[in-house]
């Protein structure tokens, strides 16, 4: 089965299936269990049901027969196992081939077929297609049906349409060996090819639709518009984008057709905005806001909102129209529902509309709420624009908003939940408009109070939405204080709410309303919630707590406590960024170092502690263990034994970190030297199967036994402060908040991005050159690699990548000189707004050079840099491979190697050989070797 | 801000996780569709009763609503199949900026339209007359936007279509 087309059709394709079944050849069909029905029919029972006398009245309704009576349903239980008659696949194919031959001969035959039989055979073809067989003829006949003047025949084609188009694509995609799914995704990229190869067919389809559109019959017109909207492809837009606006604004078009035309145009505009040209119709579309027919206004607003987002200036006039329209539903409310309280201020504005349109108002009143959809859409339209400048318009709008807020206080006119939903939908939309304007302190505070009431409403939905809206209110300076008054309620919601999604909203709101005054309380609450929080939201919660704790920390011992608690409570969800950050802060603030050392020491005494805690503990004790060594309870040896007791439970990176901490201990406390050397010397260290651990053990052992105290003190000096920079945790949270992997927007974005990269031939080299030139100069905006590029560059040349893991420099002659270049490449990450952002795994790419000599060093959409290095005694040779991933040439591609950052017993860069071509060919690799 | 009021998809499935109706308003590949459907079902069906009708899923807002089918039929069916045919779930994926409550009412209006057409709609109506269910949806929503909010107006156009069909069928029998 051609999956795509089946799907495009949706279940609608099964239209026919129903028709077959109803033709009476499957007497047992209705009694079969519904679950097995589809399968059952598709696989077996329908194959013998290609009846010559089948009347393909697909659309014919059998309502009376079809409504299953209770009597017939009693058979269900007895027939529950699917009625697979066990017909073999071969038999099915045979039957189908026979049927296809029959249909072909009918189509080719001399006798002209009447519309009915044509439809019958086309339906059969469609059904066979749905069974998963390729159909290579019959499209013409299908199109012919479209030009029929019978309703049923037209409707069948409306159903068929996606099938026809899809089928053509299917064939194309087979030729081009392109995945049909991506083909569709690409927005009919190959449609030009398709039109060439099947221009006749497309022309016929379009002609038929065109005929329908120009017919005076509103039903046919609507059907044609539905068809265009359902297919919504680019070639449809090409054919009809100019036609539909005309229908939309023509004076004599029926209202229902206008509605369909407006939304159909919107659909085409979304598919291919470039094809829908603005013209003189645009101004007339705006005036549809004044239309008498509520349905037309509702549909037109959708179109106008969308268009005005892209062309705000052209549609400016809609603001005042929308405002005046908005004041009408309020008016109508008081009339249609017959409620006595007449709204003051409204009566005098728009008295005239009620007289003419009141007949259909009743239809558009939804559970006593006048035209909720219209009101919401109007409010949404206004959110596309800044507050109106005209004082009168603005005054009227504010009045409207006040009325809506007032109405929320009125007793409900109906007990039905639909009434309150519709009413509150308008209220929430009004509140988001108020938030959007952010200029009316009075309204903002009122909105906040209203939401505060909802926070304790018994409807879960309202509590959820109130929490959500308050999040945005909290960011406004006018209402921030008002939001803060609800803190107790929100905390309570976090604790007691049964629904996890409501709890998550409460956590979001707490995060949004947090400031210096309430940070301690909120962080404490979030921490205690974390212990019971839903697993799906824990990571986000951890990040939020970490950010709040850092942002509002007045006293850093509180901060250290919070983060250590965080690691204790939810260690698994604490990402690297979080514990990197706490170490950064501890190192940068000397007032907190002693406290931090004491706290981690205590935390490590817990019988089971998380690996992240061991990491933080190892690092901090290695740096500042001396600050607490005076206390006999935490003497150097006790500290060391404590750390070493965790050693065997940890993973390799943590062990590596601990080894580095040990050598720091030797420097800090000479009295531990013997013990530590003993540990390093034992087989499990010095002959560890892990290269990195073994190397460290050997080097540290040698270092501690050979180097003098002075050298040790220099080499193992305390880490210098980190440069201040934006928290990488924040970046991580933003990343996490981003859309999910398969979300449609992201896919579209990717598509666009890809298009830019491949399409814009001048852009490729530019960005490439930029990326390349960045490669040698540390760019301050290179934030993507997070904390790492912030690590000290000057003081200690560090081993590849994981700067924090490595507490000190590996000064030994065998130190991989790759480190130097790693540093350079760390900053080669282009600024984040650049489309050539490095792949997210860039971090991991760097990490692996801790233990590896070769691999991919850096990769983004443009460039891949591979590294291969070999070391012999004090000599190292390193090859850098530059791979161009684009299809275009890099212009002015240069590389610079910078050895100036090396200090200490640095390995001088002996020789640099340039072997790469001045122009890196598209999709080619070039190699540079450094000695 | 994204497109307003745009619905990305609408599903109708049963408590047992059988998809009864799917309508997509944005093109997606088959694999993605299957993933979305699976995710929706696991998410929505796992929700305890009386929780709120809104969910955040990736960058979409999910609005869902469950209806209990016709009381009489449900009762007799429950005797035969306990916990089967119990309820139908309407589930829509909306743009992030959309108004949740109103989307919920879109679903409710659709249920009302189905009710009006089928009498008291139940799962079996949708199974046996799914083309009607699609047709009603088409009359009510277009391209993910609400086309006609009036129950009367949708009803009228549905009736017109039915009359046209019946006339056509009549013609065919006599010709």
């Amino acid at each position: 089965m051609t999956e795509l087309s089946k799907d495009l059709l949706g279940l609608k394709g099964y239209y026919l299936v129903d028709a077959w079944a109803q033709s009476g050849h499957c007497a047992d069909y209705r009694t079969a269990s519904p679950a097995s029905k589809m399968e059952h029919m598709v696989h077996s029972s329908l194959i013998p049901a290609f009846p010559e006398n089948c009347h393909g009245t697909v659309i014919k309704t059998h309502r009376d027969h079809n409504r299953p009576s209770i009597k017939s349903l009693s058979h269900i239980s007895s027939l529950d196992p699917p009625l697979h008659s066990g017909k073999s696949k071969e038999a099915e194919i045979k039957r189908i081939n026979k049927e296809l031959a029959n249909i072909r001969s009918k189509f080719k035959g001399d006798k002209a077929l009447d519309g009915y039989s044509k439809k019958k055979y086309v339906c059969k073809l469609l059904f066979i297609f749905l069974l998963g067989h390729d159909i290579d003829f019959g499209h013409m006949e299908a199109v012919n049906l479209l030009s029929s003047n019978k309703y049923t025949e037209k409707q069948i084609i409306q159903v068929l349409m996606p099938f026809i188009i899809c089928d053509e694509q299917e064939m194309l995609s087979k030729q081009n060996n392109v995945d049909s799914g991506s083909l569709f995704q690409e927005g009919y990229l190959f449609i030009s090819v398709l039109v060439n190869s099947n221009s006749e067919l497309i022309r016929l389809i379009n002609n038929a639709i065109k005929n329908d559109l120009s017919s005076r019959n509103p039903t046919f017109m609507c059907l044609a518009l539905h068809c265009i909207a359902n297919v919504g492809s680019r070639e449809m837009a090409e054919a009809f984008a100019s036609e539909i606006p005309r229908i939309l604004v023509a004076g004599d078009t029926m209202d229902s057709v206008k509605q369909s035309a407006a939304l159909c145009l919107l659909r085409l505009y979304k598919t291919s905005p470039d094809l829908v040209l603005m013209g003189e119709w645009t101004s007339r579309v705006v005036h549809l806001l004044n239309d008498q027919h509520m349905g037309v206004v509702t549909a037109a607003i959708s179109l106008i909102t969308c268009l005005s987002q892209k062309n705000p200036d052209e549609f400016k006039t809609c603001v005042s129209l929308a405002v005046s329209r908005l004041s009408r539903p309020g008016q109508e409310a008081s009339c249609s529902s017959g409620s006595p309280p007449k709204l003051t201020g409204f009566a005098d504005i728009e008295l005239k509309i009620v007289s003419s349109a009141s007949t259909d108002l009743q239809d558009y009143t939804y559970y006593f709420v006048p035209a909720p959809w219209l009101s919401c859409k109007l409010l949404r339209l206004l959110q596309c624009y800044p507050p109106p400048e005209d004082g009168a318009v603005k005054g009227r709008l504010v009045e409207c908003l006040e009325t809506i807020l007032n109405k929320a206080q009125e007793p409900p006119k109906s007990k039905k939940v639909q009434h309150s939903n519709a009413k509150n939908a308008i209220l929430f939309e009004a509140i988001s408009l108020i938030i959007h304007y952010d200029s009316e302190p009075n309204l903002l505070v009122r909105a906040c109070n209203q939401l505060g009431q909802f926070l304790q409403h018994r409807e879960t939905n309202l509590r959820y939405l109130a929490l959500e809206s308050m999040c945005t209110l909290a960011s406004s300076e006018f209402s921030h204080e008002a939001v803060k008054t609800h803190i107790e309620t929100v905390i309570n919601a976090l604790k007691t709410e049964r629904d996890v999604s409501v709890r998550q909203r409460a956590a979001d709101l707490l995060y949004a309303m947090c400031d210096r005054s309430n940070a301690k309380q909120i962080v404490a609450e979030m921490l205690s919630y974390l212990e019971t929080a839903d697993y799906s939201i824990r990571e986000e919660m951890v990040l939020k707590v970490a950010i709040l704790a850092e942002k509002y920390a007045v006293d850093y011992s509180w901060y250290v406590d919070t983060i250590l608690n965080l690691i204790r409570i939810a260690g698994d969800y604490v990402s690297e960024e979080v514990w990197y950050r706490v170490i950064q802060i501890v190192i940068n603030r000397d007032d907190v170092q002693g406290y931090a050392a004491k706290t981690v020491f205590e935390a490590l005494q817990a019988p089971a502690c998380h690996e992240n805690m061991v990491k933080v503990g190892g690092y901090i004790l290695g740096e500042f263990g001396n600050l607490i060594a005076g206390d006999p309870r935490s003497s150097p040896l006790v500290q060391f034994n404590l750390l070493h007791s965790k050693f065997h439970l940890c993973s390799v990176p943590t062990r590596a970190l601990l080894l580095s901490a040990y050598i720091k201990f030797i420097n800090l406390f000479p009295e531990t030297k013997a013990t530590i050397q003993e540990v390093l010397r034992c087989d499990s260290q010095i002959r560890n199967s892990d290269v990195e651990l073994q190397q460290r053990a050997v080097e540290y052992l040698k270092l501690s036994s050979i180097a003098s105290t002075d050298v040790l003190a220099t080499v193992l000096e305390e880490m210098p402060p980190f440069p201040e920079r934006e928290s990488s945790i924040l970046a991580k949270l933003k990343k996490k908040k981003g859309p999910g992997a398969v979300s449609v927007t992201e896919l579209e974005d990717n598509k666009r991005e890809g298009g830019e990269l491949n399409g814009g031939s001048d852009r490729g080299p530019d960005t490439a050159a930029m990326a390349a030139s960045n490669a040698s100069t540390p760019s301050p905006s290179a934030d993507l690699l997070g904390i790492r590029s912030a690590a000290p560059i000057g003081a200690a040349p560090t081993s590849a990548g994981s700067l924090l893991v490595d507490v000190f420099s590996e000064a030994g002659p065998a130190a991989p000189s790759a480190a130097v270049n790693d540093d350079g490449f760390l900053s080669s990450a282009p600024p984040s707004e650049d489309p050539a952002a490095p792949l997210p795994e860039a971090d991991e790419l760097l990490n692996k050079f801790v233990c590896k000599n070769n691999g991919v060093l850096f990769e983004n959409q443009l460039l891949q840099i591979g590294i291969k290095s070999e070391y012999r005694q004090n000599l190292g040779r390193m090859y850098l491979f530059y791979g161009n991933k684009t299809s275009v040439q890099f212009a002015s591609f240069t590389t610079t190697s910078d050895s100036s950052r090396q200090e200490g017993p640095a390995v001088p860069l002996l020789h640099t050989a340039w072997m790469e071509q001045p122009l890196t060919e598209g999709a080619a690799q070039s190699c540079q070797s450094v000695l | 801000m994204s497109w307003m009021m745009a619905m990305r998809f609408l599903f109708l499935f049963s408590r047992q996780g059988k998809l009864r109706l799917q309508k997509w308003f944005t093109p997606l590949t088959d694999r993605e569709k299957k993933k979305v459907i699976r995710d929706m079902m696991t998410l929505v069906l796992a929700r305890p009763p009386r929780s709120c009708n809104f969910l955040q899923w990736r960058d979409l807002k999910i609005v869902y609503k469950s209806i209990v089918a016709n009381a009489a039929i449900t009762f007799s069916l429950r005797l035969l199949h306990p916990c089967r045919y119990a309820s139908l779930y309407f589930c829509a994926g909306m743009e992030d900026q959309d108004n949740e409550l109103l989307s919920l009412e879109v679903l409710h209006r659709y249920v009302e339209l189905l009710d009006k057409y089928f009498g008291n709609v139940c799962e079996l109506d949708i199974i046996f007359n799914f083309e009607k269910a699609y047709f009603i949806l088409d009359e009510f929503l277009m391209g993910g936007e609400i086309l006609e909010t009036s129950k009367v107006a949708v009803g009228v156009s549905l009736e017109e279509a039915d009359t046209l069909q019946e006339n056509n069928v009549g013609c065919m029998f006599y010709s």
Side-chain angles (χ1 to χ4, degrees):
Chain A
M1 164 88 69
T2 44
E3 290 293 341
L4 176 70
S5 43
K6 183 175 98 186
D7 240 80
L8 247 188
L9 278 168
L11 272 174
K12 242 185 155 171
Y14 284 110
Y15 241 86
L16 286 169
V17 177
D18 225 43
W20 294 117
Q22 286 173 12
S23 64
H25 286 262
C26 289
D28 51 3
Y29 153 78
R30 196 163 301 133
T31 48
S33 107
S36 64
K37 179 187 144 196
M38 280 304 166
E39 211 189 351
H40 166 64
M41 289 198 314
V42 170
H43 285 309
S44 55
S45 73
L46 274 175
I47 300 309
F50 279 116
E52 282 309 307
N53 61 344
C54 161
H55 52 91
T57 52
V58 173
I59 317 301
K60 193 177 160 197
T61 47
H62 286 263
R63 277 189 64 189
D64 300 336
H65 310 288
N66 242 347
R67 266 201 76 89
S69 67
I70 294 170
K71 229 185 281 171
S72 73
L73 282 168
S74 60
H75 295 290
I76 289 179
S77 54
S78 58
L79 287 166
D80 215 356
L83 291 173
H84 280 295
S85 47
K87 284 240 164 56
S88 69
K89 191 86 185 157
E90 290 77 44
E92 180 185 320
I93 291 172
K94 214 170 140 193
R95 183 80 183 86
I96 279 174
N97 284 338
K98 196 176 151 204
E99 194 58 40
L100 281 178
N102 178 27
I103 298 172
R104 197 177 271 128
S105 71
K106 283 277 194 275
F107 282 158
K108 291 250 170 77
D110 308 327
K111 224 170 64 185
L113 294 169
D114 59 6
Y116 165 68
S117 7
K118 241 185 231 165
K119 186 178 68 190
K120 181 173 82 182
Y121 293 121
V122 169
C123 289
K124 284 188 182 186
L125 280 181
L126 176 54
F127 181 70
I128 294 171
F129 174 76
L130 284 172
L131 282 176
H133 300 268
D134 286 337
I135 305 292
D136 50 1
F137 67 99
H139 300 123
M140 248 1 141
E141 281 73 17
V143 177
N144 284 345
L145 280 184
L146 201 55
S147 43
S148 149
N149 50 10
K150 285 201 185 115
Y151 179 78
T152 353
E153 294 166 12
K154 270 188 204 305
Q155 205 184 23
I156 220 20
I157 294 309
Q158 193 206 331
V159 177
L160 268 171
M161 193 56 77
F163 147 71
I164 295 171
I165 286 172
C166 211
D167 192 43
E168 296 306 319
Q169 287 217 329
E170 195 77 20
M171 288 200 266
L172 260 178
S173 68
K174 271 179 200 151
Q175 286 161 12
N176 298 346
N177 201 10
V178 181
D179 173 41
S180 60
S182 70
L183 187 69
F184 187 57
Q185 188 88 55
E186 290 299 317
Y188 297 89
L189 203 63
F190 297 102
I191 211 63
S192 53
V193 191
L194 185 129
V195 172
N196 286 338
S197 63
N198 277 295
S199 54
E200 186 68 2
L201 184 63
I202 297 286
R203 201 176 56 77
L204 281 173
I205 295 172
N206 287 352
N207 255 346
I209 295 179
K210 220 164 229 158
N211 281 339
D212 278 347
L213 282 183
S214 53
S215 79
R216 294 258 146 230
N217 185 334
T219 320
F220 285 2
M221 287 173 93
C222 280
L223 210 52
L225 288 168
H226 268 117
C227 175
I228 299 171
N230 275 345
V231 175
S233 65
R234 192 168 169 83
E235 83 270 27
M236 282 284 179
E238 271 166 1
F240 300 107
S242 54
E243 178 85 1
I244 296 171
R246 209 182 43 72
I247 297 175
L248 181 60
V249 295
D252 55 348
T253 314
M254 294 276 292
D255 287 334
S256 60
V257 178
K258 270 189 194 169
Q259 282 169 271
S260 301
L263 291 183
C264 187
L265 187 61
L266 172 58
R267 174 69 206 253
L268 293 186
Y269 183 74
K270 283 184 192 174
T271 325
S272 16
D274 52 315
L275 290 177
V276 181
L277 301 170
M278 303 295 129
E280 56 99 32
W281 60 272
T282 43
S283 60
R284 296 176 65 182
V285 165
V286 175
H287 284 280
L288 283 179
L289 284 176
N290 273 334
D291 201 283
Q292 300 288 351
H293 191 271
M294 301 281 272
V296 173
V297 186
T298 315
I301 288 180
S302 298
L303 177 66
I304 292 168
T305 309
C306 181
L307 290 174
S308 60
Q309 274 167 8
K310 290 287 159 68
N311 324 284
D313 291 336
E314 279 191 59
F315 289 89
K316 246 195 169 102
T317 44
C318 70
V319 175
S320 60
L321 284 175
V323 171
S324 69
R325 187 88 215 188
L326 191 63
S327 38
R328 290 178 214 177
Q331 176 81 25
E332 286 146 7
S334 48
C335 301
S336 60
S337 62
S339 65
K342 196 94 172 162
L343 301 160
T344 52
F346 269 64
D348 49 12
I349 300 171
E350 296 286 346
L351 260 173
K352 53 182 195 285
I353 32 105
V354 190
S355 53
S356 54
S358 56
T359 41
D360 65 11
L361 267 180
Q362 211 68 49
D363 294 352
Y364 291 91
T365 300
Y366 183 83
Y367 289 91
F368 304 108
V369 180
W373 279 279
L374 179 59
S375 312
C376 283
K377 285 183 173 195
L378 283 167
L379 289 165
R380 179 52 63 91
L381 172 61
L382 290 172
Q383 287 173 50
C384 300
Y385 288 93
E389 282 144 21
D390 183 354
V393 178
K394 187 167 187 190
R396 209 196 286 185
L397 181 58
V398 169
E399 212 171 339
C400 267
L401 294 172
E402 275 172 355
T403 318
I404 294 172
L405 286 171
N406 287 338
K407 277 184 148 189
Q409 301 292 348
E410 285 174 18
K413 296 193 186 97
S414 155
K415 283 218 164 57
K416 290 244 180 191
V417 67
Q418 278 77 26
H419 170 73
S420 72
N421 275 354
K423 201 166 90 173
N424 292 327
I426 301 178
L427 177 64
F428 277 111
E429 205 58 61
I431 290 176
S432 60
L433 181 63
I434 293 171
I435 296 170
H436 169 75
Y437 285 165
D438 199 13
S439 60
E440 301 282 333
N442 180 24
L443 285 178
L444 280 165
V445 171
R446 277 195 66 183
C448 187
N449 293 339
Q450 182 62 50
L451 292 177
Q453 286 181 17
F454 284 156
L455 282 182
Q456 287 160 327
H457 203 278
R458 60 186 175 82
E459 277 277 321
T460 321
N461 287 344
L462 285 181
R463 294 199 300 272
Y464 177 94
L465 292 175
L467 289 168
E468 195 187 27
S469 292
M470 266 206 182
C471 263
T472 37
L473 264 182
S475 56
S476 161
E477 52 171 327
F478 298 114
S479 52
H480 186 80
E481 286 305 314
V483 171
K484 270 168 66 183
T485 56
H486 300 289
I487 184 165
E488 293 303 331
T489 327
V490 181
I491 288 173
N492 201 30
L494 189 65
K495 281 178 182 159
T496 58
E497 200 64 60
R498 280 173 56 220
D499 190 339
V500 60
S501 46
V502 183
R503 287 201 299 268
Q504 180 159 16
R505 289 280 159 259
D508 285 350
L509 179 54
L510 279 183
Y511 176 71
M513 67 163 60
C514 189
D515 63 11
R516 210 166 277 281
S517 65
N518 54 16
K520 279 196 178 175
Q521 186 190 6
I522 286 179
V523 167
E525 290 297 341
M526 284 173 99
L527 268 180
S528 68
Y529 170 62
L530 201 54
E531 295 188 49
T532 52
D534 199 71
Y535 292 106
S536 54
I537 62 172
R538 278 197 184 183
E539 191 180 348
E540 204 184 313
M541 290 281 295
V542 166
L543 289 175
K544 282 182 172 163
V545 171
I547 290 168
L548 289 182
E550 182 188 331
K551 201 167 161 192
Y552 299 114
V554 199
D555 126 41
Y556 278 89
S557 52
W558 172 74
Y559 170 73
V560 171
D561 278 343
T562 308
I563 301 293
L564 291 184
N565 263 334
L566 201 60
I567 296 176
R568 203 168 40 80
I569 294 169
D572 285 341
Y573 300 92
V574 173
S575 56
E576 297 200 319
E577 283 84 357
V578 175
W579 74 264
Y580 285 177
R581 192 72 191 155
V582 70
I583 285 174
Q584 268 190 358
I585 285 176
V586 168
I587 286 179
N588 287 8
R589 314 228 147 220
D590 37 14
D591 49 328
V592 79
Q593 287 163 355
Y595 179 78
K598 185 164 151 280
T599 330
V600 286
F601 179 76
E602 279 161 10
L604 281 176
Q605 278 171 329
C609 57
H610 195 268
E611 190 164 331
N612 280 334
M613 184 68 91
V614 179
K615 284 180 183 165
V616 178
Y619 198 103
I620 289 185
L621 289 182
E623 294 288 330
F624 311 113
N626 53 336
L627 298 177
I628 54 167
D631 191 327
R633 282 168 300 175
S634 55
S635 71
L637 222 51
V638 177
Q639 284 184 38
F640 171 74
N641 286 334
L642 183 62
L643 275 184
H644 197 57
S645 66
K646 314 281 181 201
F647 186 89
H648 306 281
L649 306 169
C650 295
S651 61
V652 171
T654 314
R655 287 186 192 194
L657 187 146
L658 284 179
L659 285 179
S660 301
Y662 296 168
I663 188 77
K664 287 231 157 188
F665 265 52
I666 296 186
N667 178 40
L668 289 179
F669 320 112
E671 66 266 34
T672 59
K673 189 169 172 178
T675 328
I676 292 174
Q677 278 182 339
E678 196 60 43
V679 168
L680 290 175
R681 202 177 287 124
C682 80
D683 275 356
S684 64
Q685 306 299 351
I686 212 159
R687 304 210 174 145
N688 196 302
S689 61
D690 189 273
V691 179
E692 174 68 20
L693 290 183
Q694 191 186 43
Q695 189 180 353
R696 285 195 189 209
V698 172
E699 284 168 8
Y700 294 166
L701 191 58
K702 275 279 170 259
L703 184 68
S704 63
S705 45
I706 296 172
S708 69
T709 353
D710 285 351
V711 173
L712 263 185
T714 322
V715 172
L716 303 173
E717 204 181 11
E718 196 176 291
M719 292 294 279
F722 292 89
E724 281 302 331
R725 59 196 308 279
E726 198 212 341
S727 163
S728 58
I729 309 178
L730 213 57
K732 166 122 183 174
L733 185 71
K734 278 179 205 150
K735 209 163 80 186
K736 201 173 147 47
K737 280 265 169 171
V742 198
S743 74
V744 182
T745 33
E746 198 189 37
L747 286 167
E748 280 163 0
D749 281 347
N750 285 346
K751 195 173 72 193
R752 210 172 307 125
E753 216 163 71
E756 269 171 18
L757 271 170
N758 300 327
S761 55
D762 54 343
R763 195 177 159 79
D766 273 359
T767 41
M770 194 154 75
S773 67
N774 274 346
S776 53
T777 47
S779 120
S781 53
D783 212 27
L784 277 154
L785 292 180
I787 215 153
R788 285 163 192 204
S789 41
I793 301 164
T798 49
S799 169
S802 53
L803 297 167
L804 272 164
V805 176
D806 255 336
V807 228
F808 74 107
S809 89
E810 290 180 77
S817 57
V820 189
N821 295 63
D822 283 347
D823 240 329
F825 282 110
L826 274 173
S827 50
S828 76
S832 49
E833 63 274 14
D834 195 80
L839 299 179
E841 57 268 26
D843 281 320
E844 289 98 83
L845 290 181
L846 283 170
N847 267 338
K848 68 179 183 229
F849 288 102
V850 173
C851 320
K852 264 176 79 175
N853 276 341
N854 40 28
V856 176
L857 180 67
F858 171 81
E859 186 168 8
N860 67 15
Q861 289 176 345
L862 301 170
L863 185 68
Q864 185 187 45
I865 304 177
I867 190 168
K868 188 176 178 214
S869 49
E870 48 195 56
Y871 305 102
R872 202 166 299 135
Q873 291 176 340
N874 64 334
L875 290 177
R877 186 202 295 262
M878 189 165 68
Y879 300 95
L880 290 174
F881 298 91
Y882 300 94
N884 182 352
K885 290 168 79 179
T886 63
S887 53
V888 290
Q889 286 190 350
F890 282 172
S892 65
F893 178 83
T894 55
T895 58
T896 324
S897 50
D898 183 4
S899 60
S900 61
R901 276 193 242 112
Q902 260 181 326
E903 284 177 11
V907 187
L909 216 53
L910 290 178
H911 177 64
T912 314
W914 298 93
M915 281 164 67
E916 98 264 42
Q917 307 293 317
L919 287 175
T920 308
E921 294 292 325
Q925 272 199 346
S926 67
C927 167
Q928 176 191 1
S929 73
V930 182
L931 276 174
Chain B
M1 203 194 316
S2 50
W3 314 110
M4 72 172 257
M5 289 293 155
M7 198 180 270
R8 294 278 186 82
F9 53 76
L10 191 147
F11 306 140
L12 212 161
F13 49 83
S14 66
R15 173 92 232 164
Q16 288 72 43
K18 288 263 182 264
L19 191 65
R20 294 303 178 203
L21 181 144
Q22 51 171 330
K23 182 87 179 169
W24 300 87
F25 299 109
T26 34
L28 280 181
T29 59
D30 195 46
R31 177 194 287 249
E32 286 160 350
K33 283 184 184 175
K34 282 199 177 121
K35 170 117 180 63
V36 173
I37 292 172
R38 203 177 49 236
D39 281 5
M40 283 306 105
M41 287 197 188
T42 37
L43 263 180
V44 171
L45 292 177
R47 305 269 295 166
R50 292 178 55 77
S51 19
C52 78
N53 299 71
F54 316 121
L55 287 171
Q56 186 79 32
W57 180 77
R58 298 195 182 152
D59 59 341
L60 293 186
K61 273 179 185 161
I62 307 301
V63 177
Y64 74 93
K65 173 186 180 70
S66 69
I67 60 160
V68 176
N70 184 332
I73 289 188
T74 322
F75 179 71
S76 60
L77 283 171
R78 271 192 188 142
L79 291 179
L80 297 166
H81 295 271
C83 85
R84 227 178 150 179
Y85 305 105
S87 45
L88 265 182
Y89 285 79
F90 289 73
C91 170
M94 316 290 298
E95 302 282 349
D96 198 29
Q97 295 293 324
D98 264 340
N99 190 318
E100 291 100 334
L101 280 175
L102 208 59
S103 315
L104 189 63
E105 293 319 297
V106 168
L107 295 183
H108 181 77
R109 199 8 85 89
Y110 183 45
V111 175
E112 282 185 348
L113 290 170
L114 290 173
D115 270 347
K116 191 175 174 218
Y117 191 82
F118 290 116
N120 215 338
V121 71
C122 71
E123 191 179 351
L124 292 173
D125 286 323
I126 313 262
I127 295 169
F128 288 107
N129 294 297
F130 55 89
E131 83 280 7
K132 279 292 161 199
Y134 277 103
F135 190 55
I136 296 170
L137 189 59
D138 268 352
E139 288 292 321
F140 175 53
L141 292 172
M142 188 192 246
E145 306 271 346
I146 191 150
L147 174 65
E148 179 56 84
T149 58
S150 157
K151 206 151 78 167
V152 180
V154 176
V156 167
S157 57
L158 283 174
E159 255 164 45
E160 267 174 22
D162 277 357
T163 331
L164 267 172
Q165 281 162 17
E166 269 150 36
N167 288 346
N168 264 340
V169 171
C171 293
M172 264 184 274
F173 282 134
Y174 293 117
S175 62

